[in-house]
């Protein structure tokens, strides 16, 4: 299980309630439904999703939080500061494994991040059609931190790329 999978599994209010109820001692889907007030169908779907994510076990018919899996996830998810010493703190904060996790609200930070993306994605002086720019920016957006059209617009706004007649160029 990764931190991303963990967050996704617990992103839904119903699944959080189901998980909390199991952690607090409910051992069957019927008990979970009674304690949460959720319909049995919702509980069964939630338990299945939590099991698929590795948060809940129920091999012998008894539901329980998979504490070993949670500990392993916590152990394997090192703090951001351990990643690539010497890298700009803005990049460490907003990039994970070369993928954008979110865009900074502060313009100065956003510019640092955008300059890095432009430098990594486009050669100075080369000309790119819009489709090539989109294809170069889509991998940065794989984690859902932004979309390629927003990145393209910010790169133009910050004058890191120019656009003329649908052709883009890095200065």
């Amino acid at each position: 299980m990764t931190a991303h999978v963990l967050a996704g599994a617990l992103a839904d209010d119903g699944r959080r309630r189901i998980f909390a109820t199991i952690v607090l001692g409910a051992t069957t889907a019927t008990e979970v439904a009674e304690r949460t007030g959720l319909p049995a169908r919702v509980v069964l779907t939630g338990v299945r999703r939590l099991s698929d994510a590795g948060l809940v076990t129920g091999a012998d018919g008894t539901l329980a939080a998979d504490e070993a899996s949670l500990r392993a996830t916590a152990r394997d998810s090192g703090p951001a500061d351990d990643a690539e010493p010497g890298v700009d703190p803005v990049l460490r904060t907003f990039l994970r494994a070369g993928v954008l996790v979110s865009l900074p609200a502060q313009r100065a930070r956003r510019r640092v991040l955008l300059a890095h993306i432009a430098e990594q994605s486009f050669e100075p002086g080369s000309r790119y059609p819009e489709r090539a720019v989109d294809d170069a920016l889509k991998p940065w957006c794989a984690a859902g931190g932004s979309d390629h059209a927003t990145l393209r617009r910010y790169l133009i706004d910050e004058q890191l790329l120019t656009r003329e007649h649908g052709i883009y160029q890095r200065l």
Side-chain angles (χ1 to χ4, degrees), residues 35-114:
R35 292 183 188 184
T36 62
L38 295 171
R41 179 180 48 82
V42 172
V43 169
L44 291 173
T45 302
V47 167
R48 182 182 46 78
R49 295 277 311 268
L50 292 169
S51 294
D52 291 348
L55 290 168
V56 172
T57 61
D60 60 357
T62 302
L63 298 174
D66 190 345
E67 294 175 18
S69 180
L70 285 168
R71 274 194 289 280
T73 299
R75 184 177 51 251
D76 294 342
S77 299
D81 290 342
D82 290 347
E84 302 179 46
V87 173
D88 188 296
V90 172
L91 300 180
R92 277 196 311 239
T93 302
F94 295 99
L95 293 176
R96 293 287 182 277
V99 177
L100 185 64
V101 292
S102 66
L103 277 173
Q106 187 179 33
R107 184 173 183 250
R109 289 181 177 185
R110 189 171 52 240
R111 179 150 174 90
V112 168
L113 181 64
L114 292 168

